Amino acid sequence: GVYGGMGYKFQRISDAPGIISTLYSFKKQRPSLLMEDWFAMLSEDSSDWYEGVDAANDERSTAPNIIAFVQAGSRIGYRWETDRRAVCEVIWLDPEPDQESRGYVKYIEELRTIEQQVDIYRGFHQPPTEDEYNLIWEAR
């Protein structure tokens, strides 16, 4: 696939920041570029990939191995997600807008919505290791 293209599969968790950085610079150069549906995922051939659990009668989700952009007001970031939309914390690429700026209230409202989506992976900015993943789900 094309480097950074929609649905791109990368080989290591550590590749994600480089992919995001490249696309983020495109977005900064062309603000009208739509990125809300863009995603990339960790390849199943990766040494970082692990199965997780995805049984129909199990509430567990697969491991968070998808990266996607998020936006709150004018602030852009990205996060790791699962196929069932369980999400890790956002890694912000832009600074928080000034409290006096015109779009600050919208930013705060959207930020709250984004933060409320984080549940099982609260405190994780990247996928947990397989051992951490198993501990998280055993503790529930």
Side-chain angles (χ1 to χ4, degrees):
V2 175
Y3 179 81
M6 177 81 111
Y8 179 73
K9 293 189 177 187
F10 50 94
Q11 291 302 310
R12 305 211 34 98
I13 289 171
S14 60
D15 293 342
I19 295 163
I20 292 293
S21 178
T22 299
L23 293 172
Y24 177 68
S25 68
F26 289 155
K27 176 71 174 165
K28 286 303 200 183
Q29 293 169 15
R30 293 185 169 63
S32 63
L33 187 63
L34 298 176
M35 301 295 286
E36 66 242 10
D37 295 328
W38 178 90
F39 69 95
M41 64 185 69
L42 186 63
S43 170
E44 291 182 19
D45 297 330
S46 168
S47 60
D48 292 339
W49 193 88
Y50 55 90
E51 185 74 33
V53 174
D54 192 21
N57 60 350
D58 195 322
E59 70 176 37
R60 287 198 230 193
S61 182
T62 58
N65 57 15
I66 300 166
I67 54 172
F69 281 101
V70 293
Q71 187 165 351
S74 61
R75 193 177 190 195
I76 297 172
Y78 73 97
R79 67 183 176 193
W80 291 88
E81 305 178 347
T82 71
D83 58 346
R84 293 187 186 175
R85 299 298 236 187
V87 300
C88 292
E89 304 272 359
V90 174
I91 298 168
W92 292 107
L93 303 169
D94 290 325
E96 185 170 305
D98 186 271
Q99 292 182 6
E100 305 299 320
S101 67
R102 195 174 62 190
Y104 189 74
V105 171
K106 179 181 179 191
Y107 160 71
I108 290 297
E109 290 170 356
E110 292 176 354
L111 177 65
R112 284 188 183 132
T113 299
I114 289 167
E115 288 176 344
Q116 289 171 352
Q117 294 168 351
V118 182
D119 179 28
I120 190 77
Y121 298 115
R122 185 162 305 283
F124 287 91
H125 288 87
Q126 67 179 24
T129 65
E130 187 171 7
D131 288 341
E132 289 170 329
Y133 171 88
N134 289 323
L135 285 172
I136 288 167
W137 286 104
E138 286 170 11
R140 282 191 73 104

